[in-house]
Amino acid sequence: MKHKLLWVLACCALNLHAQRLKGNIQTQSNVPLENVSIFNTTSGAHTHTNANGNFTIENTSFNDVLNITSLGFKPVNQQLLASDFNNEFVIVLSPNPISLDQIVITPQVDALNSIVQLDLENSPVKNSQEILRKVPGLIIGQHAGGGKAEQIFLRGFDIDHGTDINLTVDGLPVNMVSHAHGQGYSDLHFLIPETLDKITFGKGPYYADKGDFATAGFVGFKTKRQLKNSAVSQEIGDFNSLRTVGLFKLLDTSNADAYVAGSLFTFDGPYNSPQNFNRINLMGKYTYTLPGDQTVSFMGSHFTSKWDASGQIPQRAIDSGLIDRFGAIDDTEGGNTSRSNFLVTHSKKLDSNSKLESSAYYSHYAFELFSNFTFFLEDPINGDQIRQFEDRNILGFNTVYSEDTALFNNDFKYSAGVGIRYDDVNDIQLSRTKNRERLLERLAYGNVNQINTYAFIKTKYSTGNFTLEPQLRLDYFKFDYENKLTEQYDNQSESKIFASPKFNVTYSPNSQFQFFAKTGIGFHSNDARVVVANEGEDILPAAYGADLGAIYKATDKLVFNTALWTLFLEQEFVYVGDAGIVEPSGKTRRMGIDLGARFEALDWLYIFGDINYTYARSTEEPNGANYIPLAPDLTSTGGLSIENLGAFSGGINYKYIKDRAANEDNSIVAEGYFVTDLNVNYTYKRFTFSVIIENLFDTEWNETQFATESRLFNEAEPIEEIHFTPGTPFFLRGKVTVNF
């Protein structure tokens, strides 16, 4: 009787005096889960798991109910027992289709990234060009036969091929510094879309672990650790389109996973002069869990592609009847490129609240591109074809220590990292050529060696409904350029240090609203040839940014997001790879608003949309002459997807970009477009049959456009006007996938 009375008194004490609960959340394979939301439905206390899957929640008592949610897992409502406070509290989550009700609004978790993961789950990417389109507000375009990196538009930037956006795959950098075609050149075609597991992104220069090129934002891609099953697919369509993909699970044990993937893609395109495009991709990944809470992963990949291109064509050639929309002035354009990657990552759980993660990588990259933008402007006899070439080795290392602790009795998390990247670029050149064979003149020719070492610290302090995130990054650059056009040895070198502080605040008064304010300084480096030509002055111009936004979860099935933002860029010098010259671009200011919505109308129907407005101007030019060429002011993407409607799935989506200025005084306008795509899938046992239609309504649109001065062979004087690459017309493909 006495013992029973003591037990009752102990239980009453637990109810009356809330205390701290510690626990761990993991998958059925004993893999710890990060950023799992834990919400005490009784007291209102909330927290989330760290990188080791551990959490601590305050103000929690016996009999309280914890709501535990994570994207891609079945939610759990767990009533606490008295023993949970004395023994190790472990929850195992079961996989479950991603849905909006799994997104929990708290100050600690970035709900926008959860939304993108939901988009990816509901509408998987179908080819490598679609990967970037999953980022809200980001528009891409292709203008060189499919083999060249896509042109990117984001937040009022014509980012070209990556100048103002930081891109990585499993931490492996994608942007190329001092590239033959342009600074920041980013070719994502080495990533097989079917191996993509997760996308993280952030807009603006607010993230200390993202350095060079992270001014308009960053996008990080993560490949799958393991495959659910093996699969082979065959896709055939218009314009001699053929794509074969194989995914093969080699190992799936309690402590090891391994798979290989490969794809072949060929395409002629709708052009009168066929593209003859072909690309081969290979990839393998092996992950092993070591004793002592350690995990090591090895990833290797290779891709190579080759293509012909019709190039950008002038509007006047079509108006005069010289060519049609899919014709060419110079059909000898094209190129070839390849990239081989090797990446090893290691993570070690040091204790229940700290972790060390490291990675090392090597890439070999080759690039050759033949282009002709001005036809016979410079050379009326041989034409203006140029060749850009480089052979590059990239080596790097990165390590990050993170810890969850307490400060002033509140949650405090920090991560500190250091790293280095070394680019060895050989025979980087710009030459005048004819018919891809005859070398007429070398305009630039040399070797680049570029080093970037860096250190950063990110902190996150949570108190009540607020999270404060002071951050700081420090970068050191060393640029070397050996000019091989000079008769005597000519090697020039410059170096620079750049500090970039950031500060972000998040406030969530309840489980429906999240408000955030972000501010920070970022930068993008300039080409080594610009740096030495400018004697190291103004070579790392700063970008000053600020965001003010909110996320509103109106119901379990409806979420809205919005942000007001501004970004100011200092003077910079840009190396124009197509001309081999240095151009100052001056100071610029951009302001805008982002709006987005996600709605699960039915269990099988998901509706999404984003609209983005930007006002972008040069600050050093008079009104009317201060437009930023090709900077989009209004863009929108959206659509709907269907999942698990019996054996059917699919979706329809659109992309829209408004007319925009193609030159500084808006006298030349790049036409906007609205293009719609459709896909329908039917699954029968192990087979999935798909129909994919790009440009469903056969819209006549210009995918990429430039205001260019050119001269045709029979013209006496040059003319400046829109030159464009026509967008693909109605494009039908059929696909069969076998899972085994």
Side-chain angles (χ1 to χ4, degrees):
M1 183 69 182
K2 182 179 178 180
H3 293 296
K4 291 182 179 179
L5 180 60
L6 289 174
W7 174 250
V8 172
L9 290 174
C11 292
C12 291
L14 283 172
N15 262 327
L16 292 173
H17 301 287
Q19 52 187 301
R20 173 182 295 179
L21 175 70
K22 294 184 177 181
N24 180 270
I25 299 178
Q26 54 190 241
T27 69
Q28 294 174 336
S29 302
N30 300 319
V31 177
L33 285 171
E34 186 177 6
N35 284 330
V36 178
S37 174
I38 301 99
F39 180 73
N40 188 325
T41 60
T42 307
S43 69
H46 52 77
T47 188
H48 67 288
T49 57
N50 63 17
N52 295 326
N54 296 317
F55 72 90
T56 301
I57 186 167
E58 306 286 348
N59 195 25
T60 300
S61 304
F62 163 66
N63 257 351
D64 286 359
V65 176
L66 297 185
N67 176 247
I68 301 169
T69 55
S70 180
L71 279 180
F73 293 91
K74 188 176 181 179
V76 171
N77 287 304
Q78 180 77 25
Q79 186 173 30
L80 297 175
L81 305 175
S83 58
D84 292 330
F85 292 84
N86 301 318
N87 303 320
E88 184 180 13
F89 182 73
V90 177
I91 292 291
V92 176
L93 298 186
S94 304
N96 199 53
I98 292 178
S99 61
L100 271 177
D101 57 11
Q102 296 172 9
I103 297 177
V104 178
I105 305 297
T106 71
Q108 294 90 359
V109 178
D110 183 354
L112 279 178
N113 270 282
S114 299
I115 289 172
V116 171
Q117 191 65 13
L118 184 62
D119 290 351
L120 181 63
E121 180 77 10
N122 281 284
S123 181
V125 291
K126 295 178 289 297
N127 58 62
S128 59
Q129 290 188 6
E130 288 190 4
I131 291 173
L132 281 167
R133 291 181 182 144
K134 292 302 176 183
V135 178
L138 193 150
I139 302 285
I140 64 170
Q142 176 57 251
H143 60 264
K148 190 176 174 183
E150 279 74 30
Q151 185 178 8
I152 303 171
F153 301 95
L154 178 68
R155 284 202 160 182
F157 280 88
D158 170 14
I159 295 176
D160 197 16
H161 302 290
T163 310
D164 287 283
I165 188 168
N166 179 291
L167 302 174
T168 58
V169 175
D170 291 334
L172 183 75
V174 178
N175 302 76
M176 298 287 180
V177 297
S178 302
H179 189 272
H181 186 66
Q183 181 70 340
Y185 186 89
S186 300
D187 188 348
L188 271 167
H189 295 143
F190 68 86
L191 177 58
I192 300 174
E194 287 81 359
T195 66
L196 183 60
D197 181 52
K198 186 177 181 180
I199 299 176
T200 59
F201 81 99
K203 296 181 182 179
Y206 312 125
Y207 314 94
D209 55 339
K210 311 298 178 186
D212 202 1
F213 306 111
T215 54
F218 80 90
V219 184
F221 301 95
K222 184 178 180 181
T223 59
K224 296 176 180 178
R225 170 176 169 153
Q226 60 185 7
L227 299 178
K228 293 180 180 179
N229 52 259
S230 298
V232 175
S233 66
Q234 179 68 68
E235 181 181 305
I236 300 175
D238 292 334
F239 316 122
N240 290 325
S241 170
L242 172 69
R243 184 169 186 261
T244 304
V245 180
L247 305 170
F248 304 99
K249 180 166 65 173
L250 304 181
L251 194 62
D252 183 6
T253 67
S254 59
N255 61 354
D257 299 285
Y259 68 89
V260 295
S263 69
L264 169 67
F265 179 41
T266 64
F267 185 51
D268 280 347
Y271 309 99
N272 298 337
S273 181
Q275 288 184 349
N276 299 312
F277 174 81
N278 62 77
R279 179 171 68 237
I280 297 175
N281 290 72
L282 297 171
M283 179 221 178
K285 192 171 186 179
Y286 172 71
T287 305
Y288 184 71
T289 301
L290 299 167
D293 291 319
Q294 300 182 79
T295 300
V296 63
S297 178
F298 301 91
M299 189 274 284
S301 68
H302 174 77
F303 100 98
T304 182
S305 63
K306 185 177 181 181
W307 69 96
D308 299 323
S310 296
Q312 299 149 31
I313 55 177
Q315 183 63 48
R316 65 185 184 277
I318 299 171
D319 296 340
S320 66
L322 179 64
I323 59 173
D324 63 25
R325 278 181 54 81
F326 298 100
I329 301 299
D330 182 354
D331 63 359
T332 65
E333 296 189 32
N336 58 84
T337 186
S338 66
R339 179 167 178 168
S340 300
N341 304 301
F342 182 75
L343 171 70
V344 56
T345 60
H346 173 261
S347 66
K348 178 175 175 57
K349 178 181 175 182
L350 302 177
D351 56 42
S352 61
N353 293 313
S354 63
K355 190 174 186 179
L356 186 67
E357 298 175 283
S358 302
S359 64
Y361 57 85
Y362 168 75
S363 294
H364 178 258
Y365 172 80
F367 175 86
E368 183 179 39
L369 180 68
F370 294 90
S371 308
N372 188 347
F373 305 105
T374 55
F375 311 123
F376 294 93
L377 177 67
E378 303 292 339
D379 188 336
I381 303 299
N382 297 300
D384 296 348
Q385 185 181 89
I386 58 173
R387 174 181 183 253
Q388 294 165 319
F389 175 87
E390 67 168 61
D391 185 87
R392 177 186 302 252
N393 297 294
I394 312 172
L395 299 94
F397 173 81
N398 181 74
T399 187
V400 179
Y401 172 80
S402 58
E403 182 178 6
D404 274 28
T405 183
L407 182 65
F408 306 124
N409 295 320
N410 290 304
D411 290 341
F412 179 68
K413 178 180 180 179
Y414 71 91
S415 58
V418 295
I420 185 170
R421 170 177 171 171
Y422 173 64
D423 284 71
D424 171 35
V425 192
N426 299 301
D427 296 333
I428 183 169
Q429 57 186 283
L430 172 67
S431 304
R432 295 194 182 281
T433 56
K434 184 176 182 179
N435 294 327
R436 294 202 198 183
E437 296 180 355
R438 182 180 169 190
L439 174 64
L440 302 178
E441 179 187 9
R442 290 195 194 276
L443 302 177
Y445 183 40
N447 296 327
V448 169
N449 290 279
Q450 188 165 324
I451 298 173
N452 174 207
T453 62
Y454 56 86
F456 67 85
I457 183 166
K458 298 177 64 176
T459 65
K460 179 181 287 189
Y461 179 68
S462 300
T463 173
N465 295 322
F466 284 91
T467 294
L468 312 177
E469 299 181 70
Q471 306 177 29
L472 179 64
R473 182 183 178 94
L474 189 66
D475 284 87
Y476 168 80
F477 285 89
K478 189 173 187 299
F479 307 85
D480 288 297
Y481 179 58
E482 179 188 355
N483 189 349
K484 298 173 73 171
L485 287 180
T486 57
E487 293 184 4
Q488 296 181 342
Y489 178 73
D490 180 15
N491 187 56
Q492 298 173 280
S493 178
E494 298 289 347
S495 61
K496 198 77 171 181
I497 296 176
F498 191 90
S500 47
K502 339 272 185 180
F503 185 68
N504 306 327
V505 179
T506 305
Y507 171 63
S508 296
N510 51 47
S511 59
Q512 287 184 293
F513 284 97
Q514 183 183 88
F515 301 96
F516 58 85
K518 302 178 181 181
T519 184
I521 300 174
F523 70 96
H524 78 244
S525 63
N526 278 300
D527 191 288
R529 292 160 288 188
V530 177
V531 173
V532 299
N534 204 47
E535 298 181 344
E537 296 297 325
D538 301 319
I539 61 174
L540 296 176
Y544 303 90
D547 268 53
L548 184 64
I551 299 171
Y552 172 47
K553 190 172 183 180
T555 70
D556 284 345
K557 302 296 184 181
L558 179 62
V559 176
F560 299 96
N561 66 275
T562 185
L564 293 168
W565 61 271
T566 184
L567 189 63
F568 173 79
L569 270 67
E570 289 183 340
Q571 172 67 49
E572 56 184 299
F573 290 84
V574 178
Y575 181 83
V576 182
D578 297 333
I581 60 175
V582 177
E583 288 184 350
S585 64
K587 296 180 175 66
T588 60
R589 181 181 69 250
R590 292 168 171 83
M591 298 178 291
I593 182 171
D594 298 337
L595 298 168
R598 303 294 186 275
F599 179 42
E600 285 183 348
L602 299 166
D603 290 341
W604 50 268
L605 180 61
Y606 178 71
I607 303 172
F608 60 97
D610 294 280
I611 186 167
N612 311 90
Y613 172 76
T614 302
Y615 178 85
R617 294 291 186 271
S618 170
T619 63
E620 298 181 324
E621 301 296 335
N623 289 336
N626 59 347
Y627 289 86
I628 300 174
L630 300 178
D633 56 6
L634 184 63
T635 63
S636 182
T637 57
L640 58 87
S641 63
I642 296 170
E643 287 290 330
N644 302 316
L645 183 60
F648 288 94
S649 65
I652 185 168
N653 58 76
Y654 73 87
K655 53 190 174 185
Y656 167 75
I657 187 169
K658 181 178 172 289
D659 292 355
R660 61 198 190 279
N663 60 353
E664 289 80 359
D665 63 4
N666 200 25
S667 60
I668 302 177
V669 176
E671 294 182 358
Y673 55 79
F674 186 101
V675 178
T676 306
D677 302 327
L678 171 73
N679 71 92
V680 178
N681 312 296
Y682 177 77
T683 300
Y684 176 73
K685 295 183 178 180
R686 296 176 178 267
F687 295 87
T688 299
F689 304 91
S690 305
V691 174
I692 304 164
I693 302 176
E694 293 186 28
N695 196 357
L696 176 64
F697 301 110
D698 200 21
T699 301
E700 185 176 287
W701 62 296
N702 299 338
E703 187 163 9
T704 55
Q705 302 169 76
F706 302 89
T708 305
E709 184 181 47
S710 66
R711 190 166 77 91
L712 301 178
F713 183 75
N714 59 348
E715 291 178 334
E717 298 294 332
I719 297 174
E720 184 181 20
E721 66 170 351
I722 285 292
H723 292 54
F724 67 91
T725 300
T728 304
F730 181 92
F731 180 16
L732 173 66
R733 307 193 299 275
K735 180 179 179 181
V736 178
T737 302
V738 183
N739 297 286
F740 56 93

